Amino acid sequence: MATARTQFAKATAKPAPGRFGVYGGRYAPETLMCALEELEREYEKVKRDRAFQRRFQDLLRTYAGRPTPLFLASRLTKKLGGAKIYLKREDLLHTGAHKINNCLGQALLVERMGKHRVIAETGAGQHGVATATVCALFGFECVVYMGTEDMRRQELNVFRMRLLGAEVRGVESGSRTLKDAINEAMRDWVTNVSTTHYLLGSVLGPHPYPTMVRDFHKVTGREARAQILKAEGKLPATIVACVGGGSNAIGIFHEFLKDKKVKLIGVEAGGRGEKLGEHAARFRGGAPGVLQGTYSYVLQDAAGQIALTHSVSAGLDYPSIGPEHAWLKDTGRSAYVAASDAEALAACTLLARTEGIIPALESAHAVAEAIKRVPKMKKSDVLIVNISGRGDKDIGILRENLKLD
C-alpha cells in the first residue's frame, strides 16, 4: 500500500529512521499517516520519559513475571553430546509467551495517547491473548482479527480471548491465516483511526512498529546476557530462535549484535516441502518486496502475487519477515535456516521427554535446529535456545500429528 508520502532511503551505514539498510520504511494509506506519525512522536518521547520506563519495567516485573529464568537443559545436553544447552524460558511469562512484553508497552502508549479502542491481529493466538489481557488490565475495548483456519487450530486461545472480554472476528478471506488477519485489522484501523490503536504483534508493518516492538522485547536479550555471564562466565557461542515475523528472535538477538563471535541463528518454518506454498521460509525462495506496510523479503510467485504458506505452527505461517531480519541476513550478522513440520514435532516430543517442558510449536522449530547443531559443537561451548512460548495452545495440533506410545 504505497503512497506519495511513502518514506524512501538509500542503504547507508547509518540508515534513516525506520530503515534497516534498504529494508523497512512506511508504506501505508494516506489515512493512516497521521496516526503513524503520532505514534512515532509519542514513542520517541517515552523512550526518554523516566516515569513511563519505570512503570513499564514495574509491569514487566510484577504483572508479566520478569525476569524469566535461563535454564540449563542438562538431560537434553547429555543425550545430544556436544555443547551445553540453555533455555531462555519466555514460556513462563504471564499469558504463556513473550508477546506480553510488547503488549504492555503499547498499552501504556495507548493510555498516553488517550485512545480507548485497541485492535490486533493474531495467528497462533498468543498475541491475541496478550492483547486481550492488557486491554482488560487497562479497561480498553478490544477487537482481535484471526483467520478462521487459525481459529480452528487454536480453539483454546480463541476461548481465552473471549473470556478476557475481547471480540474475536474470524477472517474468511485468502488462506484464512495471519496475513489475512493483518489485512482486516488494517482495514478496521483506516475506518476508525481517530479512536483506535492497532497493537501490531511483531517487528513488521510500517515504521515505527519494527523498531518499537523490538525495543519492547529487548529485555529478553539483556536478561539472557547477564544470566549466561553469571552461570558460565562467558558469552554463548550460539543463540537460536524461531522466526515468524521475528519479534522473539530480535528480542534476544539485539543485545548480542555487537558480539561478533556469538552466532545468531533464526529458524523459519520449513513446512512440508520446498515447493512454494508448502512452507513459510522467506529466505528460501523469497524476494524483496512490500507487504503490509514494510519492505522486506516476501514469498511471492513470478507475477509478484503473495504466495500461500504452510506451517504446522500458526505463528510462523506468514509470507514476510521483519525488515531488521532481512538486513541482518544480507549483512551476514545472522544466519537463517528452516526446520520442517516433522522436525519441529520431533523436537517438541524430545524436549518434553528429556526436560519436562512442552514448547510452543513455534519454539520447537528453534529446538530442532539446536538438536542438529549441538552434537557438532565443542563441549566447552554454550548454546541458548529462546523458548518463546509454551505448548498448551498446541495440544490439539500435537494430538492430530503425533502417535504416542
Side-chain angles (χ1 to χ4, degrees), residues 219-371:
V219 61
T220 306
R222 286 199 301 269
E223 288 178 5
R225 185 187 185 90
Q227 289 166 330
I228 199 63
L229 287 173
K230 182 177 181 180
E232 294 288 335
K234 63 182 179 181
L235 294 176
T238 305
I239 299 174
V240 184
C242 67
V243 182
S247 60
N248 91 89
I250 208 67
I252 196 167
F253 288 175
H254 194 267
E255 190 71 13
F256 298 89
L257 288 178
K258 294 180 181 179
D259 301 300
K260 302 302 183 183
K261 292 184 178 180
V262 179
K263 293 181 180 178
L264 306 176
I265 311 296
V267 188
E268 299 184 282
R272 56 195 172 205
E274 295 194 8
K275 184 180 177 182
L276 193 64
E278 297 291 300
H279 62 85
R282 287 63 51 100
F283 297 127
R284 182 200 288 171
V290 174
L291 179 64
Q292 294 174 331
T294 195
Y295 180 67
S296 186
Y297 277 76
V298 182
L299 287 169
Q300 51 191 303
D301 63 21
Q305 297 299 306
I306 304 304
L308 294 176
T309 56
H310 164 78
S311 174
V312 71
S313 57
L316 303 186
D317 197 356
Y318 183 68
S320 189
I321 190 168
E324 189 165 7
H325 286 290
W327 177 68
L328 291 173
K329 188 263 183 189
D330 280 7
T331 59
R333 180 60 190 96
S334 297
Y336 295 85
V337 298
S340 69
D341 288 353
E343 288 170 332
L345 289 163
C348 181
T349 303
L350 182 60
L351 185 61
R353 293 184 173 183
T354 55
E355 300 293 351
I357 297 169
I358 303 173
L361 278 170
E362 291 78 12
S363 309
H365 285 70
V367 177
E369 180 61 21
I371 290 169

Side-chain angles (χ1 to χ4, degrees), residues 62-76:
T62 63
Y63 190 71
R66 302 208 74 95
T68 58
L70 187 69
F71 172 70
L72 173 60
S74 57
R75 293 193 68 240
L76 183 61

Side-chain angles (χ1 to χ4, degrees), residues 207-221:
H207 178 64
Y209 283 106
T211 302
M212 180 179 69
V213 175
R214 177 202 68 197
D215 289 351
F216 286 141
H217 282 303
K218 286 193 301 186
V219 61
T220 306

Side-chain angles (χ1 to χ4, degrees), residues 19-82:
R19 287 281 176 177
F20 306 92
V22 297
Y23 302 106
R26 181 181 287 159
Y27 297 82
E30 194 74 20
T31 314
L32 295 180
M33 283 299 177
C34 287
L36 289 165
E37 289 164 357
E38 177 193 19
L39 181 60
E40 181 182 12
R41 286 193 304 271
E42 290 301 321
Y43 183 62
E44 287 301 317
K45 290 177 184 176
V46 302
K47 283 196 292 187
R48 300 181 295 273
D49 187 325
R50 292 183 180 179
F52 180 97
Q53 294 299 329
R54 279 197 303 269
R55 192 173 175 204
F56 178 48
Q57 295 302 321
D58 185 61
L59 285 170
L60 289 177
R61 180 177 58 84
T62 63
Y63 190 71
R66 302 208 74 95
T68 58
L70 187 69
F71 172 70
L72 173 60
S74 57
R75 293 193 68 240
L76 183 61
T77 298
K78 183 178 180 180
K79 184 175 183 65
L80 295 175

Side-chain angles (χ1 to χ4, degrees), residues 130-158:
T131 300
T133 297
V134 300
C135 285
L137 178 66
F138 282 79
F140 301 142
E141 179 186 348
C142 181
V143 176
V144 178
Y145 288 91
M146 191 173 191
T148 53
E149 171 60 17
D150 288 340
M151 290 178 72
R152 181 192 68 79
R153 293 194 284 183
Q154 303 290 345
E155 290 183 31
L156 175 61
N157 275 343
V158 173

Side-chain angles (χ1 to χ4, degrees), residues 38-39 42 46 51-52 55-56 59 103-118 134-140 195-197 199:
E38 177 193 19
L39 181 60
E42 290 301 321
V46 302
F52 180 97
R55 192 173 175 204
F56 178 48
L59 285 170
C103 288
L104 284 169
Q106 288 200 50
L108 288 169
L109 277 171
V110 175
E111 183 180 64
R112 183 183 176 104
M113 292 187 294
K115 298 190 177 182
H116 61 81
R117 182 175 182 267
V118 170
V134 300
C135 285
L137 178 66
F138 282 79
F140 301 142
T195 61
T196 298
H197 172 72
L199 206 163

